[in-house]
Amino acid sequence: MRKPISPAVVRRLPKYYRYLRHAKAEGVERISSGDLSTMSGYTASQIRQDLNRYGDFGQQGYGYNVNRLLKGLEEILGLAKQNRVIIIGMGNLGHALANSDLFDRPSVQLVGLFDNDEMKKGELVQGLPIQAEEDLNDFLDENEVDLAVLTIPAQVARPISKNLYAKGVRGFWNFTSVDLKLGDDAMVEDVHLSESLIILLYYMKNPYDYKGVN
Amino acid sequence: MRKPISPAVVRRLPKYYRYLRHAKAEGVERISSGDLSTMSGYTASQIRQDLNRYGDFGQQGYGYNVNRLLKGLEEILGLAKQNRVIIIGMGNLGHALANSDLFDRPSVQLVGLFDNDEMKKGELVQGLPIQAEEDLNDFLDENEVDLAVLTIPAQVARPISKNLYAKGVRGFWNFTSVDLKLGDDAMVEDVHLSESLIILLYYMKNPYDYKGVN
DNA sequence: TAGATTGTTAATCGATTAACAATC
DNA sequence: TAGATTGTTAATCGATTAACAATC
């Protein structure tokens, strides 16, 4: 099997995807690594290296066909696949995510919302009723769930995530400030807002260390 | 002046801070790089390298004094300084952030909330009234603002951020899917939720590339 | 003192950039 | 064909790890 692809590369892929969608929206049909470099700030060399790991999307003397590369990236990024998603914790952040456009793509389909607050039970968000957390296990037994969004308090993050994992959930979008400890086949993507804000404070205090975003 | 510190190091600092706070909460008074390694998954060697860039927090044969290192990190991270913060865009996400505990620290003080929806004008969130965006310029003229949280639609991100920059704001916590183009002395920290979710989908599709969080 | 653990240099590893032949 | 631009190797750069002397 091919060598694992480093996180550095993986984190650039959604950016390439975004720039390409932008180019396409502007009617661009073909694009060179140089063009993408101008848009993204990455070097053309790096962009060619990155894309070349995944196949022969380019053509010498021509560049990349925008549609073809977009299709390729959608396949690579897993956007072609459908994932069934639940949100655990319907506080302000859970509501914000449920109501955002993040789950408008077919690749991520919201199928359940859960909160342990009895008052919220039955409230409709995006057409889905908020369910009690005590109903979670039954729900997981009866429905396939691929991905869980964790917008719960830090104290309950470990036990709830372990339970979800035991019930077969393998994708975790983790908004809690806790490092989850799950099996090797659990995929965890952290959004540590508190750390992100602290990093901004650091650079405001130490602008000398700031290299610019990207 | 010292060599600029790489983003890789900077992004680990808030984690060290979190682990230390956790250790302190459990009554730990001194801690070795080996202990921190167990907690964080980073190598002890790397932790010593990182901390050593900022001063002599450790002591041979003893390790690090938790309180002393915490104090040091607070200073380094800019948590000792007060920053005046406004949120632009009081949709679901703006509300969620305003109501979160992120702004409970003295280092980040919420001083203004803005939204262009007339219906929201005057609504109190955390004791602050939501103001119309047309009042933003006056507000910026009369009040010092260090940091702006951008929870606005992508289309208006560029002009609004440029305006804020022109009025002296230098810290930008950017939740839009747009790369801001501001002066070199603007510090931008992006939270690209859409990209974060796509990265999770990528790893769910390509678990072989996943190295575990941290 | 003996044991523990840091500070710091040197070695290694990996990621980025440069260069250019291949080729459309 | 001439020009453009990729694919890909080699060179460079930077970050991580290993090792161990310093020292508490």
Side-chain angles (χ1 to χ4, degrees):
Chain A
M1 202 173 180
R2 66 166 165 74
K3 229 170 57 201
I5 286 166
S6 76
V9 176
V10 173
R11 296 202 165 261
R12 285 192 292 269
L13 297 178
K15 296 199 186 282
Y16 297 150
Y17 182 65
R18 172 156 60 87
Y19 293 121
L20 282 161
R21 296 239 298 182
H22 194 252
K24 180 177 177 173
E26 292 197 327
V28 178
E29 281 175 16
R30 69 159 151 144
I31 201 164
S32 70
S33 57
D35 299 333
L36 279 167
S37 172
T38 307
M39 293 173 85
S40 67
Y42 301 124
T43 64
S45 187
Q46 179 165 67
I47 292 165
R48 290 202 301 279
Q49 286 263 23
D50 285 353
L51 296 178
N52 199 242
R53 295 167 156 277
Y54 291 99
D56 54 338
F57 294 110
Q59 200 168 36
Q60 280 107 327
Y62 171 90
Y64 302 87
N65 175 284
V66 172
N67 272 320
R68 187 154 168 273
L69 186 50
L70 269 173
K71 277 267 171 55
L73 278 173
E74 276 171 11
E75 186 58 43
I76 291 160
L77 289 166
L79 299 179
K81 204 174 150 293
Q82 285 216 351
N83 288 280
R84 294 168 58 86
V85 179
I86 58 176
I87 301 181
I88 319 279
M90 288 299 291
N92 283 299
L93 187 53
H95 270 89
L97 296 175
N99 287 317
S100 75
D101 59 4
L102 288 163
F103 304 106
D104 289 351
R105 331 173 173 274
S107 50
V108 274
Q109 189 191 353
L110 267 189
V111 298
L113 308 173
F114 294 86
D115 198 289
N116 69 357
D117 180 353
E118 275 298 316
M119 297 290 294
K120 289 181 182 155
K121 193 170 168 174
E123 181 192 331
L124 285 180
V125 181
Q126 295 288 308
L128 289 172
I130 298 182
Q131 301 176 62
E133 269 176 31
E134 59 193 30
D135 299 332
L136 179 56
N137 275 336
D138 284 350
F139 184 90
L140 293 169
D141 288 338
E142 287 158 26
N143 299 274
E144 202 199 311
V145 172
D146 303 295
L147 195 167
V149 182
L150 303 181
T151 42
I152 47 182
Q155 312 88 267
V156 295
R158 288 265 167 80
I160 289 183
S161 62
K162 271 195 199 321
N163 181 45
L164 290 163
Y165 178 76
K167 291 284 187 179
V169 179
R170 287 297 174 268
F172 295 85
W173 202 19
N174 178 32
F175 285 78
T176 79
S177 59
V178 171
D179 299 331
L180 306 182
K181 307 282 184 212
L182 302 168
D184 283 346
D185 60 345
M187 305 294 131
V188 180
E189 166 75 6
D190 287 323
V191 181
H192 286 325
L193 293 179
S194 171
E195 290 176 19
S196 173
L197 180 55
I198 290 175
I199 288 162
L200 177 53
L201 296 178
Y202 175 90
Y203 283 121
M204 291 175 73
K205 174 112 192 298
N206 306 279
Y208 175 74
D209 289 331
Y210 187 70
K211 308 288 199 339
V213 101
N214 282 4
Chain B
M1 204 174 178
R2 65 164 166 74
K3 227 168 60 194
I5 287 166
S6 77
V9 176
V10 173
R11 296 203 163 261
R12 285 193 290 269
L13 297 179
K15 296 199 186 282
Y16 297 149
Y17 182 65
R18 172 155 61 86
Y19 295 120
L20 282 162
R21 295 239 299 182
H22 194 252
K24 180 176 176 172
E26 293 197 327
V28 177
E29 281 175 18
R30 70 160 152 143
I31 200 164
S32 71
S33 58
D35 299 333
L36 279 167
S37 174
T38 307
M39 293 174 86
S40 66
Y42 301 125
T43 63
S45 187
Q46 179 164 68
I47 292 164
R48 290 202 300 280
Q49 286 262 24
D50 287 351
L51 296 179
N52 199 241
R53 294 168 156 278
Y54 290 99
D56 55 336
F57 294 110
Q59 200 167 35
Q60 279 107 326
Y62 171 90
Y64 301 88
N65 177 284
V66 172
N67 273 322
R68 186 150 169 275
L69 186 50
L70 268 173
K71 276 269 170 54
L73 278 172
E74 276 171 11
E75 185 59 42
I76 291 160
L77 289 166
L79 300 177
K81 205 174 147 296
Q82 286 215 352
N83 288 279
R84 294 168 59 86
V85 179
I86 59 176
I87 301 181
I88 320 280
M90 288 300 290
N92 283 298
L93 187 52
H95 270 89
L97 296 175
N99 287 316
S100 75
D101 59 5
L102 288 163
F103 304 106
D104 288 352
R105 329 173 174 276
S107 49
V108 275
Q109 190 193 353
L110 267 188
V111 297
L113 308 173
F114 295 86
D115 198 288
N116 68 358
D117 180 353
E118 274 299 315
M119 296 291 293
K120 288 181 181 153
K121 193 170 168 174
E123 181 192 330
L124 285 180
V125 180
Q126 295 288 310
L128 288 173
I130 298 182
Q131 301 177 62
E133 269 177 31
E134 59 194 28
D135 298 333
L136 179 55
N137 275 336
D138 283 351
F139 184 90
L140 292 169
D141 287 337
E142 285 158 28
N143 298 274
E144 202 199 309
V145 172
D146 304 294
L147 195 168
V149 182
L150 303 181
T151 42
I152 47 182
Q155 312 89 266
V156 295
R158 287 266 169 80
I160 289 183
S161 62
K162 271 196 201 318
N163 181 47
L164 290 163
Y165 179 75
K167 291 284 186 180
V169 179
R170 287 297 174 268
F172 296 85
W173 202 20
N174 177 33
F175 285 78
T176 80
S177 59
V178 171
D179 299 332
L180 306 182
K181 307 281 183 212
L182 302 168
D184 283 348
D185 59 344
M187 305 293 131
V188 180
E189 167 75 7
D190 288 322
V191 181
H192 287 325
L193 293 179
S194 170
E195 291 176 18
S196 173
L197 180 55
I198 289 176
I199 288 163
L200 177 53
L201 296 178
Y202 175 90
Y203 283 120
M204 291 175 74
K205 173 110 192 299
N206 305 280
Y208 175 73
D209 289 331
Y210 187 69
K211 308 289 197 339
V213 102
N214 282 4

